[in-house]
Amino acid sequence: MAPSHTGQEAVVIGGGFYGTTIAAYLVRARGMKRVTLIEREDALLKRASCNNQARIHNGYHYPRSFTTAYRSRVNLRKFVLDWPDAVKRDFTKLYAIARQHSKVTAKQFERFCHEIDANIRPAPPALRSLFESRLIEDVFLVEEYAFDSGRLAAWAANELGACGVQVTTGTRVTDVARGSGSALTVAVQHGNGSRESIACHYVFNCTYSGLNQILGDYPGTQTHLKQEIAEIALIAVPPRFQDIGVTVMDGPFFSTMPFPARGLHSLSHVRYTPHLNWSDESGVDPYERLSVYPRESRVDRMLRDVVRYIPSLSQARHVESLFEVKTVLAKNEIDDGRPILFEKHPQLPGCFSVLGGKIDNIYDVLEKLDAERLETEADRCQTDAGVIYG
């Protein structure tokens, strides 16, 4: 294996939204000069950052996890300011509470929204009339947005280029190991089969579903993860719904909202979106499992249930489905909370594992990084000079 000619201050593994944002942060906020980002796909933001519901949460979705809801409220305001060109705001978002099988009543949901200071008001009669009143207890007009993953990918490419981050795509990290002194060694395999070894001081594993598929001295995450093959259906909605998003709460229901990157609507269903799940473990590559999965769509069952609650969506047309691996913290399955995973590995100093539950969680990660003492090459030079000449 040929060594890299130049050592790096940091290697970021994973070119999704979290990996690209962290790489730019290391340069912009922490003063690192030599940062490399490695992505196994042929372009940035190709996997979970793209294949999802494209929702920027504002807290409404988490009445059973106050912390997640509150952080969503705080983070959405920042996200809109930092990525305005990627945010779609010009649509009406409705939350409807089912009369049966919902884990919250309309009054409970309204009270919860007031507790987290989220905008909510009764939907006007014209919008309420879209719903089957025998099945829906109440409908609320809320403030929630969608993001355009294509525009975020364009931002990532431009920002990393401006920062001078070295981006390598079509390349997979196989091992992370202790190097000499305080250094780490990252072993990579390029798409053409060639291998390379990169020396660095810090490694940030942002591979989402692939967190525990790196070998060598990498210890894996202490937090137990659950993997799931999920289907997000993309549908063309009738003209009346072109600028409307709907979420029916809170239990075995569904959500449909604009999907800006394609000019369609996403459709997810609590019962039918999850296809297959398993406990994450080293040696069981989630992406390989996805590659051999038959991908038989359940959109017919999704739409059949949707039409019960919103009859006029019977005219919706299925265009295609996005299948992707979804990774969650096993401990949050009960309350639907979506905290970040941020682990330092004492066995491998300088190595971090990062997992975000939703796109706006990036600010929770950056707050964690702000609290870390990350030495730059300039810091080390000053220390060495002090030892030699002090």
Side-chain angles (χ1 to χ4, degrees), residues 79-299:
F79 194 95
V80 170
L81 290 174
D82 288 339
W83 287 279
D85 294 339
V87 177
K88 181 176 176 60
R89 306 175 66 170
D90 58 343
F91 66 97
T92 299
K93 187 60 199 288
L94 303 172
Y95 269 66
I97 309 301
R99 291 189 183 277
Q100 295 183 328
H101 308 302
S102 177
K103 297 176 182 178
V104 296
T105 66
K107 287 187 179 298
Q108 289 171 335
F109 180 70
E110 194 170 13
R111 183 167 59 248
F112 160 75
C113 291
H114 289 311
E115 287 174 353
I116 64 171
D117 194 29
N119 290 335
I120 181 173
R121 62 183 189 272
L127 292 175
R128 296 176 65 91
S129 68
L130 298 173
F131 296 84
E132 174 53 70
S133 60
R134 293 174 303 165
L135 300 179
I136 295 296
E137 179 188 358
D138 211 341
V139 183
F140 299 98
L141 195 61
V142 303
E143 184 180 14
E144 196 170 68
Y145 307 140
F147 66 86
D148 187 324
S149 60
R151 292 190 175 187
L152 285 179
W155 164 83
N158 291 334
E159 177 69 2
L160 295 181
C163 289
V165 173
Q166 180 179 330
V167 177
T168 302
T169 58
T171 298
R172 181 175 181 177
V173 171
T174 58
D175 300 75
V176 175
R178 298 178 189 88
S180 59
S182 61
L184 298 168
T185 301
V186 178
V188 304
Q189 180 175 348
H190 298 287
N192 61 8
S194 65
R195 295 177 179 270
E196 183 182 5
S197 177
I198 303 173
C200 60
H201 291 284
Y202 296 104
V203 170
F204 297 88
N205 184 357
C206 305
T207 53
Y208 191 63
S209 298
L211 276 174
N212 289 317
Q213 302 309 310
I214 294 175
L215 303 177
D217 294 323
Y218 176 72
T221 62
Q222 294 182 351
T223 303
H224 180 52
L225 305 178
K226 175 187 171 184
Q227 307 285 14
E228 177 180 288
I229 292 179
E231 175 187 5
I232 299 292
L234 298 182
I235 59 174
V237 297
R240 178 70 179 87
F241 281 89
Q242 194 64 43
D243 297 316
I244 294 177
V246 173
T247 297
V248 176
M249 295 283 283
D250 170 36
F253 303 115
F254 59 89
S255 184
T256 181
M257 58 188 293
F259 192 82
R262 296 286 302 276
L264 299 167
H265 271 51
S266 64
L267 173 61
S268 61
H269 195 292
V270 172
R271 181 176 290 128
Y272 302 121
T273 287
H275 278 237
L276 175 71
N277 66 77
W278 67 95
S279 294
D280 185 54
E281 60 181 285
S282 179
V284 180
D285 189 331
Y287 300 121
E288 289 184 6
R289 296 197 76 169
L290 176 63
S291 69
V292 299
Y293 187 72
R295 304 191 186 203
E296 296 176 359
S297 177
R298 297 175 179 174
V299 69

